[in-house]
Each structure stands twice: as C-alpha cells, then as structure tokens.
Amino acid sequence: MYIIETKQLTKSYGNFAAVSGVDLHIPKGAVYGFLGPNGAGKSTTMKMFLGLAKPTGGSFTIDGKKYPENRVEILKEVGSFIEAPAFYGNLTGKENLEIVGRILGLPKSAALEALELVGLTPYKDRLARKYSLGMKQRLGLASALIGRPPILILDEPTNGLDPVGIHEIRTLIRSLPKQFDCTVLVSSHLLSEVELMADHIGILNHGHLLFEGTLEQLKAHAENQGYPTDNLEDTFLAVIDADNRQRGGIR
C-alpha cells in the first residue's frame, strides 16, 4: 500500500518546470530517500505535499486523501522539517515546542517527549537563540515529531550536525517506522547516510523521476546499465551523469 502517491505531478514557474510529470509511490512504513542534485525539484515536491506550493498539473494523494479537497486532513497527518526551521529566539526550546503542541491540540507532555527523542532534554530550558546550528536542527526535528504523526517529511535533517549528531539522527530516523508505525520521506545530500537509513529510493533530475525502487532494485538497474554499484553515491552520480549527457550536457 502506498501512503503517498503522485500522478504526473507538475510544478511550473513561467516556462520553467521545477517538477515535471512525476509519479511517486511511497510505501507505508518505508524510509524513502528522495535524492537529486540541487535544483532537481525535491524541495518543490515536498512543499506541494505540505500545501506550500500549488501544483500546476497532475495530482497526489496522502494516506488515501486527495489534494486539494482534503488539504486540512492531510496536514493533520504530516510532520515536516523543510529548510532551516524558524523559532522564537526569546523562548526556550521547550516553550517553542509547547506552542506547536498547543496548535496541534496536544498535551504539554508531548513537547518533553519530542525533546527526549532528539536528545535535547538537557537543553530544554535554554533560549532558542542560544542554540547552536546543530541544536536548532534537532529542535526542528522535534517539532516534526511532536504528536507522533503517521507521515514525516524531512528535508536535509542532518544539516549542521557533527558526525556524532548525524549518526544519532540517522539511527533515530531508521527506527521511526517500527517505533511509531510511521512513514518517512527524507531528502539528503549525504548519500552514505541515506544508504544506511533508507529502504526505498527516488532519484530526481531536472524535475524528472529517473528511478524509483528499493536499494536492491537500484543496484540491479545499475548493473544492467553498466554503472558502478559499490556504493549509493557512485551509482547516483552515474545515473545523473547519464541523464545529463542524454539531455545534451545540461548541468
């Protein structure tokens, strides 16, 4: 069963198609690694799922609910982390999350639970403006996790984290489907991390979906095409390079 499904999803800005006729199939309970170079259309696609950008063509459903008819119901089921999260600097980490919790109608304990999940409990009473970049990333992740939504959309969740922090967040994301019965759509430029975290992969380039499937299927596809299969990064670069060459050297 697919919890997120798109049909010919398209987003154009004037004559430029940021996302072009994309058919995504994200299985329930998966960690789905959404990959592509800068400007490939990943963030635009995620923003459409969150109602932050309006599709210019095609359609999508999330947990059987169609956009835009069920936009409010969709948003209630999705926790998100898109770009650098904004917080009230004059409030503590805990107070920032309590505001999110109140908006969602959650008990006060939800904020403390979310802080515990991302390892911020010792800093819960520190003002958000005094958080390091890595701590702000964790607070953004806590904001996405609060209330344990069934669907998480995470755009570059490990930005600004040191190697220990990256390992901890990767381990957390990997555990979420089993722990909370949720589905995670995650984009990241750290392909070695995605390889350890995701079980399904979608590769986007110039707004087009080049590949979708499991890591095993990607490896088989790469072998078939004569691409390197040693690691996800080499395979990804070969897939993108072949597509660019086919397009006449567009970079």
Side-chain angles (χ1 to χ4, degrees), residues 3-5 49-50 60-67 74 77-78 151 153:
I3 199 155
I4 300 178
E5 191 168 3
F49 292 158
L50 296 166
F60 68 86
T61 57
I62 293 184
D63 201 10
K65 299 170 180 69
K66 193 166 182 182
Y67 179 90
I74 286 171
E77 294 195 25
V78 179
I151 301 154
I153 294 178

Short mmCIF file of all heavy atoms in Angstrom, two decimals, residues 3-5 49-50 60-67 74 77-78 151 153:
data_model
loop_
_atom_site.label_atom_id
_atom_site.label_comp_id
_atom_site.label_asym_id
_atom_site.label_seq_id
_atom_site.Cartn_x
_atom_site.Cartn_y
_atom_site.Cartn_z
N ILE A 3 1.39 5.12 0.81
CA ILE A 3 0.82 6.15 1.68
C ILE A 3 0.89 7.52 1.01
O ILE A 3 0.09 8.40 1.28
CB ILE A 3 1.48 6.14 3.08
CG1 ILE A 3 0.58 6.87 4.08
CG2 ILE A 3 2.88 6.70 3.05
CD1 ILE A 3 0.76 6.46 5.51
N ILE A 4 1.89 7.69 0.11
CA ILE A 4 1.95 8.89 -0.74
C ILE A 4 2.07 8.43 -2.18
O ILE A 4 2.92 7.60 -2.52
CB ILE A 4 3.16 9.79 -0.38
CG1 ILE A 4 3.09 10.26 1.08
CG2 ILE A 4 3.22 11.00 -1.32
CD1 ILE A 4 4.29 11.10 1.52
N GLU A 5 1.20 8.97 -3.02
CA GLU A 5 1.21 8.60 -4.43
C GLU A 5 0.95 9.84 -5.27
O GLU A 5 0.05 10.62 -4.96
CB GLU A 5 0.14 7.54 -4.70
CG GLU A 5 0.25 6.91 -6.06
CD GLU A 5 -0.64 5.67 -6.21
OE1 GLU A 5 -1.39 5.33 -5.27
OE2 GLU A 5 -0.57 5.05 -7.28
N PHE A 49 3.42 18.75 -1.20
CA PHE A 49 2.76 17.83 -0.25
C PHE A 49 2.25 18.58 0.98
O PHE A 49 1.26 18.17 1.59
CB PHE A 49 3.73 16.74 0.20
CG PHE A 49 4.12 15.76 -0.88
CD1 PHE A 49 5.29 15.02 -0.78
CD2 PHE A 49 3.31 15.57 -2.00
CE1 PHE A 49 5.65 14.11 -1.76
CE2 PHE A 49 3.67 14.67 -2.99
CZ PHE A 49 4.84 13.94 -2.87
N LEU A 50 2.93 19.67 1.34
CA LEU A 50 2.56 20.42 2.55
C LEU A 50 1.66 21.62 2.25
O LEU A 50 1.37 22.41 3.14
CB LEU A 50 3.84 20.90 3.25
CG LEU A 50 4.74 19.78 3.77
CD1 LEU A 50 6.11 20.31 4.14
CD2 LEU A 50 4.09 19.09 4.97
N PHE A 60 -1.98 14.37 -6.34
CA PHE A 60 -1.37 13.46 -5.37
C PHE A 60 -2.35 13.13 -4.27
O PHE A 60 -3.29 13.89 -3.98
CB PHE A 60 -0.06 14.03 -4.80
CG PHE A 60 -0.20 15.25 -3.92
CD1 PHE A 60 -0.47 15.13 -2.57
CD2 PHE A 60 -0.04 16.51 -4.46
CE1 PHE A 60 -0.58 16.25 -1.75
CE2 PHE A 60 -0.13 17.64 -3.65
CZ PHE A 60 -0.40 17.52 -2.29
N THR A 61 -2.14 11.95 -3.68
CA THR A 61 -2.92 11.54 -2.51
C THR A 61 -1.94 11.20 -1.39
O THR A 61 -0.85 10.69 -1.63
CB THR A 61 -3.80 10.30 -2.79
OG1 THR A 61 -2.95 9.24 -3.24
CG2 THR A 61 -4.86 10.58 -3.82
N ILE A 62 -2.35 11.53 -0.16
CA ILE A 62 -1.58 11.19 1.03
C ILE A 62 -2.51 10.45 1.97
O ILE A 62 -3.55 10.98 2.37
CB ILE A 62 -0.98 12.44 1.69
CG1 ILE A 62 0.08 13.07 0.75
CG2 ILE A 62 -0.35 12.10 3.04
CD1 ILE A 62 0.83 14.26 1.31
N ASP A 63 -2.16 9.20 2.26
CA ASP A 63 -2.98 8.32 3.11
C ASP A 63 -4.42 8.26 2.58
O ASP A 63 -5.38 8.35 3.34
CB ASP A 63 -2.96 8.81 4.56
CG ASP A 63 -3.35 7.70 5.54
OD1 ASP A 63 -3.44 6.53 5.09
OD2 ASP A 63 -3.59 8.00 6.72
N GLY A 64 -4.54 8.12 1.27
CA GLY A 64 -5.84 7.99 0.63
C GLY A 64 -6.62 9.28 0.49
O GLY A 64 -7.73 9.29 -0.06
N LYS A 65 -6.05 10.39 0.98
CA LYS A 65 -6.75 11.69 0.91
C LYS A 65 -6.18 12.50 -0.24
O LYS A 65 -4.97 12.65 -0.37
CB LYS A 65 -6.59 12.44 2.23
CG LYS A 65 -7.17 11.68 3.42
CD LYS A 65 -6.78 12.32 4.74
CE LYS A 65 -7.37 11.54 5.90
NZ LYS A 65 -6.78 10.20 6.09
N LYS A 66 -7.08 13.03 -1.06
CA LYS A 66 -6.64 13.73 -2.27
C LYS A 66 -6.47 15.23 -2.01
O LYS A 66 -7.26 15.84 -1.30
CB LYS A 66 -7.66 13.50 -3.39
CG LYS A 66 -7.15 13.91 -4.75
CD LYS A 66 -8.01 13.39 -5.89
CE LYS A 66 -7.39 13.81 -7.22
NZ LYS A 66 -8.19 13.39 -8.37
N TYR A 67 -5.39 15.78 -2.59
CA TYR A 67 -5.17 17.23 -2.55
C TYR A 67 -5.80 17.84 -3.80
O TYR A 67 -5.71 17.25 -4.87
CB TYR A 67 -3.66 17.51 -2.54
CG TYR A 67 -3.32 18.98 -2.53
CD1 TYR A 67 -3.17 19.67 -1.34
CD2 TYR A 67 -3.18 19.69 -3.72
CE1 TYR A 67 -2.87 21.02 -1.33
CE2 TYR A 67 -2.89 21.04 -3.72
CZ TYR A 67 -2.73 21.70 -2.52
OH TYR A 67 -2.46 23.05 -2.51
N ILE A 74 -4.95 16.23 5.38
CA ILE A 74 -3.59 15.79 5.05
C ILE A 74 -2.59 16.41 6.03
O ILE A 74 -1.73 15.74 6.58
CB ILE A 74 -3.23 16.17 3.59
CG1 ILE A 74 -3.97 15.25 2.60
CG2 ILE A 74 -1.72 16.09 3.35
CD1 ILE A 74 -3.87 15.68 1.15
N GLU A 77 -1.92 14.93 9.42
CA GLU A 77 -1.22 13.64 9.49
C GLU A 77 0.27 13.75 9.21
O GLU A 77 0.99 12.77 9.30
CB GLU A 77 -1.83 12.67 8.47
CG GLU A 77 -3.26 12.29 8.80
CD GLU A 77 -3.72 11.09 8.02
OE1 GLU A 77 -2.88 10.27 7.61
OE2 GLU A 77 -4.93 10.96 7.82
N VAL A 78 0.73 14.96 8.85
CA VAL A 78 2.11 15.11 8.40
C VAL A 78 2.91 15.99 9.35
O VAL A 78 2.50 17.09 9.69
CB VAL A 78 2.14 15.73 6.97
CG1 VAL A 78 3.58 15.92 6.50
CG2 VAL A 78 1.39 14.85 5.98
N ILE A 151 3.08 10.41 9.13
CA ILE A 151 3.94 10.70 7.96
C ILE A 151 4.90 11.82 8.33
O ILE A 151 4.48 12.86 8.86
CB ILE A 151 3.08 11.12 6.74
CG1 ILE A 151 2.10 10.03 6.37
CG2 ILE A 151 3.98 11.45 5.54
CD1 ILE A 151 0.87 10.51 5.66
N ILE A 153 7.96 14.33 6.70
CA ILE A 153 8.63 14.83 5.51
C ILE A 153 9.82 15.66 5.98
O ILE A 153 9.64 16.72 6.60
CB ILE A 153 7.66 15.66 4.64
CG1 ILE A 153 6.56 14.74 4.08
CG2 ILE A 153 8.40 16.35 3.51
CD1 ILE A 153 5.50 15.44 3.24
#
